[in-house]
């Protein structure tokens, strides 16, 4: 086997392992969302408390991506993937065995559960270093399929709890995390040509914050991935309240939303390798604007509401993939992790705020219309940023 062939084969294996690691950690990260309505009924939570419960892991996983991305630049994915996976086991077991009987303990467990969400900031620089610039959009998009870990949680958590008790999905997830940590420690390898920064963590974060692409991509990702995260954690509660669906039916529909977004993420990256990422983003954001406007009227689920949600799922997935294709093109190689951490944090924070707003808006107006209308306004602002500014940037030469 020639050296280029061996490199390609190794890159494919590393991409597969990184994607699995992302999925497993995101599975853990999303364990509370499908159970939110159960906890609301058992603990008599208000709509805002229910929204806070599912949003806390999101914000911690988001902010944590900033240092984790910079640490990955320095130490590599071979160390960081097992470390994040092992650390996430602790809050998973705490929530499953001890911490699910009161709101305070759920919030404490959910806070540390957010560590699982930082795995994203490990995988992007790790994968980016293994692939040439012409294939990074697709490769990072494939890695993004790991966000389908939230679908695993949506499809299995409620069923496992109903069949075997609250602890079951948490114990299973902790076991899978432990197995992955062992495999990744033994098999993962950082790219031979990985650029290792020599400056301090603070200096690298400061340098990344001075890049224009960091702020532009952060704003776009806050809408694209933030919208995906917001729907993936709040959609079951929304569907149950707005349409009277059962908890299981709402979780299954959320899983369908997630799976479509997951499938479209590598498509968005693949398209961005062939046309400008800004063009993919423009179309995606335009679709989100249209879908949000339609859904703000709470149409019937069959067929208009379902079509609106599926359109937004596809657009948010493709837009998320295109955003990191943009980062791969415009960020310096030795700063991809730091930029990824900041952009990833913005995306997660973009998913933290909407559930809280939706809970507060429904609690005040008994309607979600205003929240969805606000999504349309924010998506339109992102579309204007993309068209008027981002689309005029030129890639950094390889």
């Amino acid at each position: 086997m020639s050296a280029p062939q061996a490199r390609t084969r190794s890159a494919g294996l590393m991409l597969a392992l990184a994607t699995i690691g992302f999925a497993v950690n995101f599975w853990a990260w999303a364990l509370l969302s499908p159970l939110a309505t159960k906890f609301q009924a058992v603990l008599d939570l208000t709509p805002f408390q229910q929204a806070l419960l599912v949003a806390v892991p999101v914000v911690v996983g988001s902010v944590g991506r900033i240092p984790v991305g910079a640490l990955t630049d320095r130490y590599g994915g071979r160390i960081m993937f097992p470390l994040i996976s092992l650390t996430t086991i602790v809050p998973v077991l705490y929530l499953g065995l001890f911490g699910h009987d009161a709101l305070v303990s759920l919030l404490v467990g959910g806070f540390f559960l957010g560590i699982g969400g930082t795995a994203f900031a490990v995988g992007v620089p790790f994968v980016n270093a293994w692939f040439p610039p012409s294939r990074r959009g697709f490769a990072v998009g494939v890695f993004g399929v790991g966000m389908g870990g939230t679908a695993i949680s949506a499809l299995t958590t409620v069923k496992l709890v109903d069949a075997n008790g609250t602890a079951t999905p948490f114990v299973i997830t902790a076991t899978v995390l432990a197995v992955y940590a062992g495999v990744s420690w033994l098999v993962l390898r950082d790219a031979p040509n990985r650029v290792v920064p020599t400056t301090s963590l603070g200096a690298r974060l400061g340098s990344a914050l001075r890049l224009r692409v960091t702020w532009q991509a952060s704003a776009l990702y806050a809408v694209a991935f933030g919208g995906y995260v917001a729907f993936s954690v709040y959609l079951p509660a929304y569907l149950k309240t707005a349409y009277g669906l059962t908890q299981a039916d709402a979780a299954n529909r959320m899983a369908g939303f997630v799976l479509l977004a997951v499938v479209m993420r590598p498509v968005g990256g693949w398209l961005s390798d062939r046309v400008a990422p800004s063009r993919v983003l423009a179309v995606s954001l335009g679709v989100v604007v249209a879908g949000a406007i339609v859904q703000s009227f709470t149409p019937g689920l069959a067929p208009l509401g379902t079509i609106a949600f599926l359109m937004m799922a596809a657009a948010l997935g493709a837009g998320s993939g295109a955003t990191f294709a943009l980062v791969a093109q415009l960020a310096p190689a030795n700063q991809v992790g730091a930029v990824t951490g900041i952009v990833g944090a913005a995306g997660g924070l973009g998913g933290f705020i909407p559930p809280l707003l939706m809970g507060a808006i429904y609690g005040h107006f008994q309607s979600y219309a205003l929240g969805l209308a606000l999504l349309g306004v924010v998506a339109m602002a992102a579309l204007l940023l993309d068209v008027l500014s981002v689309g005029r940037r030129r890639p950094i030469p390889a």
Side-chain angles (χ1 to χ4, degrees):
M1 183 182 298
S2 66
Q5 289 175 323
R7 163 88 182 199
T8 299
R9 184 173 180 179
S10 295
L13 176 61
M14 295 302 106
L15 174 58
L17 286 171
T19 304
I20 292 169
F22 183 23
V24 170
N25 280 278
F26 251 44
W27 176 7
W29 193 41
L31 280 170
L32 290 180
S33 175
L35 298 175
T37 54
K38 169 184 169 64
F39 292 133
Q40 181 188 35
V42 173
L43 302 176
D44 193 27
L45 304 180
T46 67
F48 181 79
Q49 288 173 325
Q50 180 186 4
L52 183 64
L53 175 63
V54 299
V56 164
V58 173
V59 71
V60 175
S62 304
V63 175
R65 290 174 189 177
I66 297 175
V68 167
L71 288 169
T72 303
D73 277 339
R74 178 67 180 85
Y75 296 106
R78 196 256 175 176
I79 290 176
M80 295 300 294
F81 259 125
L83 180 61
I84 295 298
S85 300
L86 287 173
T87 305
T88 303
I89 291 173
V90 177
V92 168
L93 289 178
Y94 168 77
L95 285 166
L97 300 177
F98 311 109
H100 55 263
D101 295 327
L103 176 61
V104 172
S105 58
L106 282 169
L107 291 175
V108 170
F111 180 91
F112 291 100
L113 191 66
I115 294 169
T118 66
F120 176 78
V122 177
V124 171
F126 175 81
V127 170
N128 197 70
W130 271 105
F131 288 85
S134 62
R135 297 184 61 202
R136 284 176 184 162
F138 175 71
V140 174
V142 170
F143 169 74
V145 169
M147 68 186 190
T150 55
I152 300 174
S153 180
L155 290 170
T156 62
T157 302
V158 174
K159 294 182 178 66
L160 288 170
V161 168
D162 289 343
N164 301 291
T166 302
T168 305
F170 295 89
V171 172
I172 291 173
T173 306
T175 303
V176 175
L177 282 165
V179 171
Y180 176 76
V183 171
S184 61
W185 177 255
L186 293 172
V187 181
L188 278 183
R189 294 293 181 270
D190 291 303
N193 61 338
R194 184 173 75 90
V195 180
V196 181
T198 56
T199 54
S200 68
L201 174 63
R204 280 181 279 133
L205 288 175
S207 178
L209 286 168
R210 288 191 292 271
L211 296 172
R212 186 164 58 150
V213 64
T214 302
W215 295 100
Q216 291 176 331
S218 293
L220 295 169
Y221 203 58
V223 178
F225 186 70
Y228 160 80
V229 170
F231 279 122
S232 68
V233 300
Y234 199 71
L235 196 55
Y238 171 85
L239 292 173
K240 185 176 184 295
T241 303
Y243 291 100
L245 301 185
T246 64
Q247 180 180 348
D249 190 11
N252 287 337
R253 290 175 185 269
M254 185 269 272
F257 181 98
V258 167
L259 288 172
L260 180 56
V262 164
V263 169
M264 289 302 296
R265 183 155 183 158
V267 174
W270 177 80
L271 287 171
S272 297
D273 285 338
R274 284 150 181 79
V275 299
S278 60
R279 294 184 182 179
V280 180
L281 278 161
V283 174
S284 299
L285 291 167
V287 171
V288 173
V289 171
I293 291 172
V294 170
Q295 194 56 37
S296 67
F297 293 97
T298 319
L301 274 180
L304 193 55
T306 298
I307 292 172
F309 274 120
L310 292 180
M311 285 174 55
M312 287 191 287
L316 293 169
S320 297
T323 303
F324 274 95
L326 188 75
V327 170
Q329 286 187 9
L330 299 179
N334 65 340
Q335 292 181 278
V336 169
V339 174
T340 294
I342 296 167
V343 175
L349 290 172
F352 169 74
I353 296 170
L356 297 180
L357 281 176
M358 293 290 272
I361 287 170
Y362 187 82
H364 187 74
F365 296 104
Q366 299 300 300
S367 170
Y368 290 113
L370 178 59
L372 286 154
L374 287 173
L375 171 61
V377 171
V378 171
M380 176 59 73
L383 175 60
L384 292 174
L385 170 67
D386 177 59
V387 172
L388 299 177
S389 180
V390 177
R392 300 180 182 183
R393 301 284 307 273
R394 293 292 177 265
I396 293 176

